[in-house]
Amino acid sequence: MAEKGLAKAKEIYKDRTHRVKELKTEGKKIIGYLCIYPVLEIITALDLVPYRILGDMREPITKADACLPTVVCPFLRSVVDLGLKGRYDFLDGVVMAHICDVGEKTAHIWDDYINPPYSFFIDTPHTVHKAAQAEHKELLKDFKKSLELFTGKELSSERLKEAIQVYNQQRTLVRQLYDLRKIDPPLISGIETLQVMVALASIPVEEGNALLEQIISELKERKDGPPKKAARLLVWGAIIDDVALIEMIESLEANVVMDDTCVGTRCYFPDVELTDDPLDGLAYRYLVDLQCPRTFKEAAFSEMKKDYMADLGARFGYLRDYAKEWNVNGVILQSVKYCDVHGYEVPGLKDYLDSIGLPSTYLEHDYSEGSLAPLRTRVQGFLEVIS
Amino acid sequence: MATNSYLFCGVDIGSTMTKVVIIDIDGEICSRVVGPTGAEHRRLANKVMEEALEQANLSFDAISYVISTGYGRINVPFADRQITELTCHAKGVASLFPSVRTAIDIGGQDAKGLKISNGRLVDFVMNDKCAAGTGRFLEVLADTLELRVEDLGSISLKSTNKVRISSICTIFAQQEVISRLSDGIAIEDVVAGLHDAIASRVVRMTRRLNIEPDVVLTGGVAKNVGVVSAVKEHAGCELLVPHDPLLSGALGAALLGKELTAEALAKGEPIQRKERRLKEATFFT
């Protein structure tokens, strides 16, 4: 591969812990976080290294069933399983949030069974009205205080604002990278994009920014990018942290050119507004701006609830914009089994996509590499229908 | 090659049976063969193909275009192209019944609901990776009942009071059947209950597409008169069943081969053929 930056991202994707373990030997403390609700700026500003806890769909779940039911999110079961097997023992602490009910259980199981030196649970609200926003800010104050206690340092407003700027720079760079997918054929494949996104979640933010700058400048000169294919797809839904599903889709007549998932746009697109009290901007972004069906945005549009289509438009209008800008002609809706937050979203979302004439298909999988093969026929059938 | 000598072949490699249909330029069937796919997946697919060629007294090279479909479609060395069974079934069914709007296909290992508009597939649903609601369900339970799967249909017709099988899991249904038999319930009532369980599951799944008539039932399970009448009851409408319900996928594949060839010829483009060899299909990728 001529693109050294992409090759480096792939290396990090394949050996995620390599860099943080190096940093650890240099005396840095590594803080694991689950999902996209823990506020990374606070961790980084206190000179700690945030490291995203992901699952492993290639590792059979053998230990987690002792403490989580089998009929819950297989991604979180995998996360707990890896924790119990010691995969995350190098972490100096963890931050988790009330992402969903099973996510909450995961946080407490982690505390009880794995017992890291530091842990914090952000009881993130599930609605976005003013009182919830105010409550969220209070929770972030507590989180900041708790980390200050852990590090023995005080976090100044200025230092926190600097961290926000570095993260906003990362968000700008990711959006620039995604701009290269608007071209047909895209300059970067769906598989490569995911590898870069996972890499960013595995290394310090400044290193991630340097990597992104290198990748973007190399891609602009790229001659051997993905081939032109009939379908340009957007993939929506539950976490995708392994390339297997995208690989299956891209082995067919389709390029994945856009996503609405949490190791993608959901986590890297929204900026944080630099407010006088930086916690105001952070509290707003990490509650209101983050796009995940775990949060009930309907509360923000209460008058519209009387009109079903207007309500759907308010909730999913951003997908129409994505589809237009990225020239998408089909949407793959996917979720892990037993994910209520995504599952309940599907009928309304399908209605919305139908109403704007964007074809879609829904896939459910159990977060294991082997379970993806039977889905191939469905994806191929969908591509035949839209071609 | 003169246009009138064009021949098109569809090979539908299902989990249980392999189906081959050869048609001529007018869409007339020259040959049709159904054979077991074989325990080692698709190893026997080429044998079924050879039989079909023999039946029509054709050499393999005489076939202009071969399309593979079905569960085992991917690594077929004697096909020019692979298309999913969803698209092929829709094509085949629409050629037999142009008025079709909804098709239900119950095969050995999966069940599909197809929405068809103007002869074209527009939407579909498939069962999850589970044998419930498929031919395998009946095979397993026929074995439990010590009956031949092909006899289930006629046995169920004798039922006067079908029993309700509540389990959707094949393994639990097996236990339920055994306990019903030990309760002294007549075997034909148990069999009718099994047909009802399959029909209810498949119709419920297909309802997601909004079942509109005409409704066509295909797949190996459509040969079972008990299932046909149970599906009719659950769907609440008449069902059309092709004379040979196993062949619609292979027929659709052959017809798509004919269409693709005609399109290429009309544009003056070469037909996109692969270097195909009539040998064993390999295992999955």
Side-chain angles (χ1 to χ4, degrees), chain A residues 178-179 181-184 232-234 257-258 316-331 352-353 356-358:
Chain A
Y178 270 63
D179 282 345
R181 310 173 83 182
K182 291 178 178 170
I183 306 159
D184 192 35
R232 292 175 57 85
L233 302 181
L234 182 152
V257 298
M258 191 47 177
F316 303 121
Y318 68 98
L319 289 172
R320 179 188 46 208
D321 299 340
Y322 284 171
K324 205 171 155 194
E325 280 184 54
W326 274 267
N327 202 13
V328 165
N329 55 11
V331 181
Y352 177 70
L353 295 173
I356 60 168
L358 199 54

Side-chain angles (χ1 to χ4, degrees), chain A residues 366 377-378 380 384-385, chain B residues 73 82 84 87 120 127 129:
Chain A
D366 62 8
T377 297
R378 289 183 214 196
Q380 197 184 336
E384 288 166 3
V385 167
Chain B
R73 69 187 180 277
Q82 52 111 340
T84 65
T87 300
R120 217 182 119 83
N127 67 323
K129 47 164 195 174

Side-chain angles (χ1 to χ4, degrees), chain A residues 310-371:
Chain A
D311 179 53
L312 293 182
R315 282 161 59 197
F316 303 121
Y318 68 98
L319 289 172
R320 179 188 46 208
D321 299 340
Y322 284 171
K324 205 171 155 194
E325 280 184 54
W326 274 267
N327 202 13
V328 165
N329 55 11
V331 181
I332 305 268
L333 308 172
Q334 61 82 37
S335 176
V336 290
K337 274 199 160 59
Y338 311 115
C339 176
D340 291 350
V341 289
H342 281 94
Y344 282 125
E345 201 83 336
V346 170
L349 179 49
K350 257 193 144 312
D351 281 351
Y352 177 70
L353 295 173
D354 286 349
S355 79
I356 60 168
L358 199 54
S360 63
T361 193
Y362 177 53
L363 309 175
E364 230 179 48
H365 57 91
D366 62 8
Y367 193 74
S368 71
E369 195 207 0
S371 72

Side-chain angles (χ1 to χ4, degrees), chain A residues 58-294:
Chain A
R58 294 163 201 263
E59 166 79 29
I61 297 170
T62 52
K63 291 202 160 182
D65 293 352
C67 44
L68 265 179
T70 52
V71 288
V72 299
C73 171
F75 162 72
L76 289 170
R77 282 172 61 224
S78 171
V79 162
V80 169
D81 194 65
L82 298 179
L84 293 171
K85 285 172 179 165
R87 180 91 67 99
Y88 288 110
D89 280 358
F90 66 91
L91 295 174
D92 296 286
V94 294
V95 186
M96 299 194 183
H98 199 297
I99 44 178
C100 57
D101 284 349
V102 186
E104 186 237 87
K105 300 288 176 293
T106 299
H108 299 311
I109 288 169
W110 204 283
D111 248 7
D112 287 346
Y113 289 74
I114 298 158
N115 196 20
Y118 170 83
S119 75
F120 192 84
F121 175 71
I122 308 173
D123 197 2
T124 313
H126 284 268
T127 56
V128 297
H129 51 72
K130 285 278 184 279
Q133 291 175 31
E135 164 70 6
H136 191 223
K137 186 182 171 189
E138 292 305 310
L139 292 168
L140 296 190
K141 271 188 200 166
D142 291 347
F143 171 45
K144 176 170 159 271
K145 229 180 269 169
S146 144
L147 260 193
E148 283 173 335
L149 207 65
F150 174 65
T151 55
K153 292 179 195 167
E154 202 175 312
L155 176 53
S156 70
S157 231
E158 284 62 43
R159 180 68 199 103
L160 188 52
K161 283 181 187 173
E162 282 167 26
I164 291 173
Q165 279 167 322
V166 181
Y167 274 96
N168 277 348
Q169 195 194 342
Q170 177 149 101
R171 291 159 190 148
T172 306
L173 288 166
V174 168
R175 291 193 301 265
Q176 284 173 11
L177 181 74
Y178 270 63
D179 282 345
L180 305 177
R181 310 173 83 182
K182 291 178 178 170
I183 306 159
D184 192 35
L187 287 173
I188 178 168
S189 70
I191 299 170
E192 291 164 335
T193 307
L194 181 59
Q195 286 168 340
V196 176
M197 296 305 114
V198 170
L200 294 179
S202 319
I203 56 176
V205 60
E206 299 85 355
E207 294 178 22
N209 290 358
L211 179 64
L212 280 167
E213 279 170 3
Q214 185 189 0
I215 289 172
I216 292 166
S217 76
E218 285 174 353
L219 284 181
K220 284 182 177 165
E221 308 298 322
R222 191 177 205 183
K223 300 280 180 279
D224 65 338
K228 194 175 164 73
K229 290 182 181 177
R232 292 175 57 85
L233 302 181
L234 182 152
V235 176
W236 172 93
I239 188 164
I240 300 177
D241 58 0
D242 187 296
V243 293
L245 177 68
I246 309 291
E247 236 165 30
M248 182 268 277
I249 298 171
E250 291 194 330
S251 74
L252 302 167
E253 265 308 298
N255 282 316
V256 174
V257 298
M258 191 47 177
D259 68 72
D260 180 23
T261 58
C262 68
V263 189
T265 58
R266 284 187 190 172
C267 141
Y268 294 107
F269 265 34
D271 276 336
V272 174
E273 192 189 334
L274 269 179
T275 43
D276 289 342
D277 179 351
L279 282 182
D280 284 321
L282 288 169
Y284 191 86
R285 187 264 186 189
Y286 278 88
L287 181 67
V288 184
D289 288 338
L290 284 187
Q291 213 41 273
C292 174
R294 58 76 67 196

